[in-house]
Amino acid sequence: MAPNSRVVSKRHRPHEKFDKKKDTKKAKLVVSNHPTEEEEDLDSSEVEEEEPVEEEPEPTVYRKPTTYDNLLASLGSSNKAVDDMNKRRQREEEGKSDTEGDDEDEDEEEDDDSGSEEEDDDDEIEGADEESLGGLTENTEEEKNDNRSEEEESDDYETDEELELTTNGKPLVDASSSASAFSEHLSHTLSSEEVKTLPEGKWKFKWEAPAVDMPNCKWKGTRQNFLDAVQSDAPYGLKPKLFKHWLQLYEKSGGKDFDSSKRRRFFSICNSYLDILHSNKRPFYNKGREEDSSVMDAYLMHSLNHIFRTRDLVKKNESKIAKHRETSEQEILSDDGFLDQGFTRPKVLIILPMRSIAFRVVKRLIQLTPEAQRVNVEHLDRFNAEFGCEDESDDDDEKTSKNGKSATHKSSKPSDWQSLFGEKNSDDEFMLGIKHTRKSIRLYGDFYSSDMIIASPLKLHMAIGQAEENKEKDVDFLSSIEVLVIDHADIISMQNWSFLTTVIDHINRLPSKQHGTNVMRIRPLYLEGQARFYRQSIILSSYLTPEMNAVFNRQCLNYKGKVKLACEYKGVLEKVLLPVRQIYERFDADSMTQADDARLEYFTKKIFPKIKDSVQGGVMIFIPSYFDFVRLRNYLKSQNASFCLLGDYTKNADISRAREWFFAGSRKIMLYTERAYFYRRYKIRGIKNLIFYSLPERKEFYPQIMNMLDEGSYDLMSTALFSRFDLLKMERIVGTAHAKRLISSDKSIFAFC
């Protein structure tokens, strides 16, 4: 925190203190009956009794400084006002009044000048309130202008109780119950047992419930089943104004029965504040636009609801403080109701893989914001230019030219590739701050003054690297994230998954610097380094991988528990159009870490000898992992094999040359990675023998690759290697029932014809 920053370093006392004025001098002589956060951590025998009680005081016991004590001490070293107030806080904890001190001359002077000090403190409170909407101090001129615009609106904030919204002529349910999910989640105090066990990441799923509108799927959760207890009446936990606007958009688009809609059901799951793993979402680029939009609507409304409730709580407290400026600072201490902020303002982080997807999400976020709260959307033209493209229709199937014919360019690429990459902005390096005021939305806001950050794993990873190299930079804007959404995790897995794990690891760390935060308004959960246990993480994907499971179990540590989707699959074998004899060979592996070595060993001993001396050629080896690609390439080099490459980083000229060599037969073996196929979708001619070094993660790739086999060849055959650790991808391709049989059977070789 800058030395000249104004802060309030006293906890506020209970609201009833404001009901009637009390004599200031008398108030100073009484220690608050409400223990401070630090006193609650002490054993009852260690807390000193109040002076008016005629009991023998307990002996003073040394107490180890908490994170909060250290934070105030650090601030006091650079700010005299904070130091003075910290000393008064310590005297209060010792059972002394602010006018009571040692016999030193300096303390006597402070007692004599207490009146002037109170005036100074009141000024500081006023300055902090004016500059720290949401707990932040803006530094740049542009940010100061943002503050002024919010200050003008701060007096007429809306609470749920003040709204009298109706739908279909009927009043909405009183919002007191709808606010409980937000307030209850953040007001929970962790037990010592929870603090000890949560980092271990050991979760036991205790219940199952059918997933409505998702055949063969069920929700599994820890703790108790909450699905039957979710709020089933409007506004379903939403702020009434948000709900009314959402309902209007839904009905305008032709939707009916909002209560039973997918978006309402998934919002209720989000509003439980549990960690969520939804691994069967049909994406918009794979003919799942309606389902994808429903899920996106749900998490965006949940994010807006969380942001607006946070803002309303802060403004409500700001207003209370402003109305009682005549009361001394000591009279508004120690009230947990005023602990409403984190270290920094951003509360929601949405991680997306591409600019085109971010464009789609932000457009919908703007639409879902009530019109009165988006009178002005700042920098929208810049956003459209940097994230959009020439043609960004909401439905690719409805793109038509002036003469009524389809305007989509004909291409040999599959439709899902066209929807994801065709004419789209697929750049994966971006980060955008979004700030909500009462009447406007600011895009490209300073990250520390934003409410929401939308970014790619790559950009966040770069920012973390820069902060580690340059001490003047930091990523402290990640320190107070309370809702984390990872959408399209399946696409992120095709980028660099390690970037994502690094980013998650840096969320909710203690900040390296002070960023104008009103330290006496910070929630205890942040000061005690427990923010990660309160963060809700929502992971959305079209399929599940071991890496996603690992993140969900080990890096998502929400104290409220978890809920995840479990599905049974029919498989995609029937989509293979050619008469191919499909051989599945199982190898043994003792552990997940040993599986890669076991796979390579099996290939070198069982598979490669069959193709090494083959005169026929036309052998394509499909490899999902780039790590396995490198190992296999090095092995083939050591064996002087005739092969060519189509990998993640192969240049276009080399790809064209490799395809020609393979088709002409001058290279007998081709290595083709799943990631290269995902981004390029090159069809390979001349395949006579297909080997899946490991099955593809994306089930739709299996029949697409199989159907590349040369129809003119006799006795078409494919071979797929698998172990018991490949169950997740196996069941998506051969079906859940077949996959379990292949994994558990005494035999190790199977055939599908």
Side-chain angles (χ1 to χ4, degrees), residues 298-329:
Y299 76 69
L300 286 178
M301 289 305 293
H302 176 57
S303 299
L304 285 172
N305 195 47
H306 187 89
I307 289 171
F308 289 168
R309 290 197 183 283
T310 300
R311 186 186 66 181
D312 285 354
L313 177 61
V314 171
K315 285 185 176 182
K316 188 175 182 179
N317 287 337
E318 298 277 356
S319 178
K320 287 181 179 179
I321 295 173
K323 291 178 181 178
H324 296 274
R325 298 220 180 270
E326 70 280 0
T327 306
S328 67
E329 180 189 337

Side-chain angles (χ1 to χ4, degrees), residues 175-226:
S176 59
S177 60
S178 67
S180 62
F182 168 81
S183 58
E184 180 183 334
H185 176 60
L186 293 176
S187 62
H188 174 77
T189 301
L190 294 178
S191 66
S192 58
E193 183 66 19
E194 287 177 311
V195 174
K196 179 181 178 181
T197 59
L198 283 172
E200 297 175 0
K202 296 180 180 179
W203 309 95
K204 190 173 182 180
F205 290 85
K206 302 178 179 178
W207 58 267
E208 297 179 355
V212 181
D213 297 328
M214 286 186 279
N216 302 319
C217 292
K218 56 188 176 183
W219 289 108
K220 301 172 64 177
T222 61
R223 308 281 174 123
Q224 61 183 7
N225 188 345
F226 71 96

Side-chain angles (χ1 to χ4, degrees), residues 512-532:
S512 59
K513 303 173 185 176
Q514 302 304 321
H515 298 277
T517 310
N518 186 338
V519 295
M520 295 310 298
R521 301 275 293 277
I522 297 177
R523 294 181 186 272
L525 65 94
Y526 289 104
L527 299 172
E528 297 301 328
Q530 299 173 353
R532 58 182 175 148

Side-chain angles (χ1 to χ4, degrees), residues 460-501:
L460 287 169
H461 187 270
M462 292 172 62
I464 291 170
Q466 292 171 357
E468 291 175 348
E469 294 177 1
N470 187 348
K471 298 302 180 182
E472 295 183 359
K473 297 183 178 181
D474 61 72
V475 288
D476 292 345
F477 50 79
L478 299 176
S479 64
S480 302
I481 297 299
E482 294 173 351
V483 177
L484 168 66
V485 180
I486 304 171
D487 198 2
H488 298 284
D490 50 310
I491 299 179
I492 295 175
S493 70
M494 290 291 158
Q495 297 174 337
N496 192 323
W497 190 258
S498 65
F499 289 171
L500 178 64
T501 58

